[in-house]
């Protein structure tokens, strides 16, 4: 089990995270819901160990920056924004992560972008760029995948196909765990094995349960708080 | 037979020294005097001074003022006379100056900076008449070629410059205003001290110094009479026409110095004091005569 | 924080001074004067009333040339960066101006206009201008296309674009042009003064140089460097900090 | 497209030449020689075997100094841009190096190390290095934080970061440093040659200056400018174009 | 009535738009649906008159670039990405569009960002930045508003509030028209008066109808094509 615990976090003197714990079972997917601006991205950054300046970790354990017990897992992170290298084509961007061209092309085909391998990121649409970023994340084979709203800006059918892809490659993978941030309850209910809801900023876990013990309406009510 | 020792002389490629040394080399006067002359051309006087300071040259040509200043700062330079030429004071065409008070408010160009000898002598002479030229005239320090040009385009009334730049202007019909010899005599410096000379480090083998000095004297003696030798040097001189060519030869010949006499050395010491007194803040130091080379 | 920053620099400064002093006392040659000798030379020049006067004269030339070179060079550079046609037409001229030796420009201007102040300052401006243009051209090239479109759609006025859109994007390039510009201009002013002016630091340096008076040379250099260091501390670095506030790593909210 | 671009520049070039020729024939003074006279001077220098030789000697110095100054200055600059501590410690040194007159460095190095090639080249490098550092420091400061994080998360190797992440971001700054660097280095080489070398363009230029041979001065300047123009056309501009392909306005897919 | 007509458009030699016409009735909202990468953003850019390089307009009318009949309307455009000036605070960004501080603060309150006026865009979350961009767009008072997926990356309750806000300020405004690009069918059905569906790239209108003549399921089927 991966257990993450932080006593609190402030960015530029503003407290963004309260004390909170997140547990992810190996091989399972944990969904994270929460209002916009509640601190989900900040939490994921902290989990991924991205050093941010002006961070003040609060409470114990803040010194050694070891928020994970027992050990920090190997992490793959799909950022909220695509973050492609604008000066490299789609293919070059992906080859930096996975040198095997075959593998890359196969995955690109799954997201229906096989015709755009030689395009620069500025010349594809936002939804396409998101799919490229998804592919890049799926090329990694980490213990724990963090995904920050991967399927926004996609039309319904495409989003559904992507969801199937993620389910196949990550959720159904026996040893790969995932923390999945989304605003879409259907997505959460479909992909997740468990779910947490964050309260407003500074974020804390206001609800945590297995997915089969919660209904859509309950979640909706929680989000409205 | 051991090879002759090298003597490295750094010279300005376009300067008068180069003419002399080329002739020396051509006539093998260096070999006859027991050394092998190596000429390193550079583009500026500064370069030559750097060369001797950094130990890359055995001889350069500069004035003794500079040599003495270096000696005061811990160097140990010696001085062999090269030329008595001090510089020229050239007046603009059509100007009439009879005494120093006529110079008031005039535009005066000075080559090389405030230590230009001609300018210093002028100031000293004017000071005797109670006129402070530095305050009374519009001074323009600049590089000599620029000043020659300014003179030609009528932007100067008077010019104190180096003699070979003056010679060119004279060849173009400009006239020398003052004979600096007269000015010096007026200041009590009657012995025609050579201003320019070969500077060398006194740790150099005295035999080499003597040999080199002899070679230069022989060269000068030949150049003083031999016109064919000059024809050979003409490409170096960059003389645009015969007037300038002959002007340059005459200038060179007029500058040939004698061996240094005690009187000249005394005059140099006095001259140094005059210059020092003209400074806004005189240092009060004295010229050390050890600088000057005396025949043993 | 602020004091920490300054004191850091002071420590670095004194380390440098110490190093220099050590080397100088080890070499013990007048050609490498110790700090003390340089300060003596400095105070001598100061008491003989040359230091401040020369510095002021030179600074005046530096400031005038700087302002003109930055303005003209900046406008030309940004236009070249934005418009390909302007770039293609002016590029050869830029290369020529950039690479023509300072000496040549100075001589030509002195010849044509005489040994006057205007010629001197013009020579410096012409020398520096292409550098500014080359720097700001890259700035103009890197303008953010999306923000540009935004500013059009949201009806920004020219002033608004200038101040809120272009200036912040040009800022790093302007800082480059300013820092290396000040240095370059001051160096060219030295040459200009050396060749045809009768006052200013360049003239004094030339005098000191003629007698190889390294202490005085260093004294004048240090005097000017101190001025630049003050500009750095009280104008450029605060600007730098203000301009980086918005960045991810910035220190204010 | 490509020919169109070059021919544009040729037209600009010939306009310049024409303008010069007009002014020169109008002024008709040896101090502003017409293009023809300059070309005569050029061919004279060429036939007397000085042109190519001087140019090669000077170019060699320029290239060596350029490579070292760019490498060292680039590394120092980027480090200063990335790490505040490095910046705070090295900043005063940078200001000093940036503003110390070229003359001072050249003289000191010549005096300490003698009139050797190494001293000449070192003087040029020390003069140029702080300029490169100041330029690339801004480049280092503007690094994209988000892409940096991405590269960490996706396990980029150092080489991958260098080539795919940092280099493209530094590129405009490197171009600035290259363009104004070539020009600056060449100008300093001229001074270095003037003060202590017996060959090279700087040496020839100064000889021409002493006899006020403006045609020859311009001839040598033009010879070097042509070399730079060739570098511009065949190295820098293609690099520019390659590097801007990805931008919104780029011309390839 | 605003009528937009283009014969076709190619970007860097790739055809992105086929011949298509879009009609918006004054005071009404027209929703635009279509798969990711189909050319919606390109279409909006063209409508807004944003000059793009390497554009080849195809067919007649390409020369004079007059795609609107009778006349190009005054246009406000909410881009797909927030496009805030990163070096200006939220407030400064908004004051550039509407100098009246009161008005700006009121709208900021409506999107619940009144506490973030002095934040720089890099220090707020993506969802917050989108809301700021929405505010900026709402500050304009044009004849025709183009909105490119304004409510992605927002949690459900916030998105719902924003939708109400847009409805109040734009849809229900008697003289303001809107062209609204979205992937969310509920949003389309709630806000739109009419709807068009774009086919895959190169985009053409494959369906066009009044909103009350179409059902959710119909639209979903159309998007799957
Ligand atoms: N560098 C920073 N300095 C100060 N405050 C910050 C900084 N970065 C984020 N914040 C604040 O932290 C809070 C949480 O931001 P975060 O990006 O984690 O939100 P989020 O939950 O991911 O929201 P969204 O769903 O919109 O992406 C916000 O209120 C934001 O203003
Ligand atoms: N500058 C460009 N050069 C070449 N092709 C481009 C360029 N810009 C966009 N395209 C292509 O145009 C098509 C449409 O892009 P557009 O951004 O309009 O899509 P979209 O419908 O807005 O998609 P999304 O819903 O993902 O935002 C894409 O296939 C894209 O590759
Ligand atoms: Mg977020
Ligand atoms: Mg789009």
């Amino acid at each position: 089990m991966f257990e993450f615990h932080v006593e609190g976090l402030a960015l530029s003197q503003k407290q963004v995270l309260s004390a909170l714990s997140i547990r992810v079972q190996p091989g399972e997917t944990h969904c994270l819901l929460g209002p916009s601006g509640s601190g989900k991205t900040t939490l994921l950054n902290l989990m991924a160990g991205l050093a941010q300046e002006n961070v003040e970790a609060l409470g114990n354990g803040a010194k050694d920056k070891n928020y994970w017990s027992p050990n920090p897992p190997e992490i793959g992170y799909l950022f909220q924004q695509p973050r492609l290298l604008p000066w490299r084509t789609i293919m070059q961007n992906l080859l930096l992560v996975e040198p095997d061209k075959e593998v890359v092309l196969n995955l690109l085909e799954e997201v229906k972008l096989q015709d755009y391998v030689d395009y620069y990121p500025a010349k594809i649409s936002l939804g396409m760029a998101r799919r490229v970023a998804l592919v890049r994340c799926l090329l990694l084979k980490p213990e724990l995948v963090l995904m920050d709203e991967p399927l926004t800006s996609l039309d319904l059918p495409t989003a559904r196909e992507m969801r199937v892809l993620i389910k196949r490659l990550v959720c159904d993978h026996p040893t790969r765990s995932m923390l999945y941030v989304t605003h879409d309850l259907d997505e959460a209910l479909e992909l997740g094995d468990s779910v947490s809801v964050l309260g407003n900023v500074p974020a804390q876990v206001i609800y945590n349960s297995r997915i089969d013990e919660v209904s859509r309406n309950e979640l909706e009510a929680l989000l409205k708080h | 037979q051991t090879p002759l020792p090298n003597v490295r002389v750094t010279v300005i490629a376009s300067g008068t020294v180069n003419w002399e040394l080329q002739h020396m080399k051509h006539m093998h006067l260096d070999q006859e005097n027991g050394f092998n002359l190596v000429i390193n051309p550079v583009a500026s006087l500064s370069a030559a001074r750097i060369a001797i300071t950094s130990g890359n040259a055995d001889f350069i040509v500069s004035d003794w003022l500079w040599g003495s200043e270096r000696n005061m700062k811990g160097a140990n330079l010696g001085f062999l006379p090269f030329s008595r030429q001090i510089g020229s004071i050239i007046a603009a065409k059509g100007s009439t100056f009879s005494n120093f008070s006529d110079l008031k408010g005039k535009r005066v160009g000075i080559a090389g900076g405030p230590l230009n000898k001609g300018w210093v002598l002028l100031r000293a002479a004017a000071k005797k008449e109670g006129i402070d030229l530095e305050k009374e005239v519009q001074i323009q320090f600049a590089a000599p070629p620029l000043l020659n040009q300014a003179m030609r385009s009528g932007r100067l009334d008077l010019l104190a410059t180096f003699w070979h730049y003056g010679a060119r202007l004279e060849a173009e019909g400009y006239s020398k205003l003052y004979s600096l010899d007269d000015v010096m005599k007026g200041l009590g410096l009657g012995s025609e001290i050579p201003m320019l000379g070969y500077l060398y480090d006194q740790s150099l083998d005295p035999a080499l110094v003597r040999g080199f000095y002899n070679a230069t004297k022989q060269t000068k003696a030949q150049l003083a009479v031999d016109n064919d030798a000059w024809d050979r040097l003409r490409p170096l001189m960059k003389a645009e026409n015969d007037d300038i060519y002959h002007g340059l030869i005459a200038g060179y010949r007029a500058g040939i110095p004698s061996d240094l006499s005690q009187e000249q050395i005394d005059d140099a010491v006095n001259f140094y004091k005059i210059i020092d007194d003209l400074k806004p803040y005189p240092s009060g130091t004295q010229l050390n005569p050890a600088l000057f080379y005396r025949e043993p | 924080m602020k004091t920490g920053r300054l004191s850091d620099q002071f420590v670095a400064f004194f380390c440098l001074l110490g190093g220099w002093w050590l080397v100088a006392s080890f070499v013990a040659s007048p050609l490498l004067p110790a700090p003390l000798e340089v300060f003596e030379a400095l105070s001598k020049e100061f008491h003989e009333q040359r230091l401040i006067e020369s510095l002021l004269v030179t600074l005046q030339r530096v400031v005038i040339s700087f302002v003109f070179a930055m303005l003209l060079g900046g406008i030309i550079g940004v236009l070249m960066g934005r418009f390909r046609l302007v770039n293609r037409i002016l590029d050869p001229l830029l290369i020529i101006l950039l690479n023509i030796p300072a000496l040549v420009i100075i001589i030509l201007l002195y010849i044509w206009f005489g040994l006057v102040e205007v010629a001197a300052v013009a020579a410096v401006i012409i020398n520096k201008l292409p550098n500014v243009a080359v720097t700001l051209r890259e700035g103009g090239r890197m303008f953010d296309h999306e923000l540009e479109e935004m500013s059009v759609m949201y009806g920004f006025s020219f002033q608004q674009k200038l101040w809120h859109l272009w200036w912040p994007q040009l800022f790093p390039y302007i800082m480059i042009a300013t820092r290396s510009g000040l240095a370059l201009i001051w160096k060219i002013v030295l040459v200009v003064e050396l060749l045809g002016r009768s006052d200013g630091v360049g003239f004094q340096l030339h005098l000191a140089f003629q007698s190889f008076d390294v202490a005085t040379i260093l004294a004048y250099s240090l005097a000017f460097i101190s001025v630049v260091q003050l500009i750095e501390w009280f104008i450029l670095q605060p600007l730098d900090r203000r301009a980086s506030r918005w960045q991810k790593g910035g220190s204010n909210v």
Side-chain angles (χ1 to χ4, degrees), chain A residues 11-12 14 16 34-43 52-53 80 148-149 183 201, chain C residues 248 253:
Chain A
L11 291 175
S12 318
K14 177 190 157 77
V16 177
S36 164
S38 63
K40 302 180 296 300
T41 302
T42 310
L43 180 62
Q52 281 185 281
E53 290 189 70
Q80 199 169 7
D148 200 351
E149 307 183 28
H183 291 307
V201 69
Chain C
K248 259 283 162 62
V253 174

Side-chain angles (χ1 to χ4, degrees), chain C residues 74-141:
Chain C
I75 291 173
I76 293 175
V78 172
L79 287 181
M80 286 178 78
R82 297 306 305 146
F83 303 107
R84 298 215 182 150
L85 189 69
V86 180
N87 188 34
R88 263 181 280 162
I89 289 173
L90 289 187
D91 192 60
L93 186 63
L94 192 66
I95 299 281
I96 292 175
L97 279 185
L98 199 57
N99 288 291
I100 207 158
L103 190 72
V104 175
I105 295 175
I106 296 170
I107 296 172
L108 291 183
L109 284 178
Y110 272 152
I111 294 174
W112 297 338
F113 300 109
L115 296 163
V116 292
E117 191 71 26
V118 178
V121 172
V124 181
I125 295 175
I126 293 179
N127 261 296
K128 172 61 192 163
L129 192 147
N131 272 294
V132 181
V134 157
T135 307
L136 289 185
R137 179 171 63 177
E138 296 301 322
R141 275 190 186 149

Side-chain angles (χ1 to χ4, degrees), chain A residues 116 119 122-128 131 153-155:
Chain A
Y116 294 91
Y119 275 59
K123 306 202 170 165
I124 58 176
S125 80
L126 181 59
M128 291 156 81
R131 282 180 274 160
S153 308
L154 292 179
D155 57 302

Side-chain angles (χ1 to χ4, degrees), chain A residues 32-129:
Chain A
L32 204 61
L33 301 171
S36 164
S38 63
K40 302 180 296 300
T41 302
T42 310
L43 180 62
L44 258 51
N45 282 341
L46 193 66
M47 286 178 163
L50 291 180
Q52 281 185 281
E53 290 189 70
N54 306 312
V55 159
E56 275 169 76
L58 308 170
N60 327 334
K63 286 264 168 51
D64 47 5
K65 297 207 168 169
N66 188 4
Y67 305 107
W68 289 99
S69 62
N71 285 318
E74 234 180 81
I75 283 183
Y77 187 178
L78 177 63
F79 299 95
Q80 199 169 7
Q81 296 273 41
R83 302 204 189 177
L84 304 176
L85 296 177
W87 37 79
R88 294 288 179 261
T89 62
I90 305 306
M91 189 45 121
Q92 288 167 338
N93 260 289
L94 296 175
L95 287 180
L96 283 170
V97 175
E98 167 61 61
D100 186 343
K101 208 161 177 170
E102 274 305 297
V103 176
V104 172
L105 265 177
N106 278 340
L107 259 182
L108 272 179
E109 215 156 317
E110 301 250 24
V111 302
K112 294 185 292 181
L113 291 176
Q114 67 277 23
D115 297 339
Y116 294 91
V117 284
D118 289 331
Y119 275 59
Y120 286 98
K123 306 202 170 165
I124 58 176
S125 80
L126 181 59
M128 291 156 81

Side-chain angles (χ1 to χ4, degrees), chain C residues 2-111:
Chain C
K2 183 152 186 183
T3 50
R5 197 153 35 209
L6 267 184
S7 73
D8 254 28
Q9 299 220 332
F10 270 113
V11 170
F13 224 84
F14 281 107
C15 282
L16 249 128
L17 215 68
W20 170 16
W21 180 77
L22 267 182
V23 175
S25 45
F26 187 74
V27 175
S29 142
L31 294 174
L32 178 55
L36 199 68
E37 293 170 60
V38 173
F39 288 115
E40 271 167 17
L42 201 62
S43 81
K44 177 160 168 278
E45 295 298 308
F46 178 74
H47 281 115
E48 298 181 3
Q49 246 127 48
R50 278 189 301 265
L51 183 70
I52 300 295
E53 200 184 307
S54 308
L55 215 54
L56 283 182
V57 169
T58 296
L59 273 179
Q60 194 187 333
R61 288 186 188 128
V62 168
V63 168
I64 295 177
S65 321
F66 180 79
V67 169
F68 278 95
M70 287 295 282
L71 269 183
L72 290 179
I75 291 173
I76 293 175
V78 172
L79 287 181
M80 286 178 78
R82 297 306 305 146
F83 303 107
R84 298 215 182 150
L85 189 69
V86 180
N87 188 34
R88 263 181 280 162
I89 289 173
L90 289 187
D91 192 60
L93 186 63
L94 192 66
I95 299 281
I96 292 175
L97 279 185
L98 199 57
N99 288 291
I100 207 158
L103 190 72
V104 175
I105 295 175
I106 296 170
I107 296 172
L108 291 183
L109 284 178
Y110 272 152
I111 294 174

Side-chain angles (χ1 to χ4, degrees), chain A residues 139-207:
Chain A
L139 286 171
L140 292 178
K141 311 258 177 272
E143 292 176 87
L144 177 64
V145 184
L146 311 177
M147 288 202 182
D148 200 351
E149 307 183 28
L151 304 183
T152 52
S153 308
L154 292 179
D155 57 302
L156 284 178
T158 311
R160 211 166 288 143
E161 281 172 50
M162 296 304 111
R163 225 182 288 163
V164 171
L165 182 69
I166 294 175
K167 199 168 170 60
R168 177 156 59 84
L169 291 183
V170 186
C171 305
D172 292 351
H173 193 283
T175 61
R176 196 158 301 148
S177 312
M178 177 157 75
L179 195 73
Y180 192 91
V181 172
T182 182
H183 291 307
D184 186 334
L185 297 183
D186 297 331
E187 226 169 271
L189 292 171
E190 185 182 336
L191 294 179
D193 296 302
S194 57
V195 63
S196 292
V197 179
L198 294 188
N200 235 323
V201 69
Q204 73 204 83
V205 180
I206 56 170
Y207 180 79

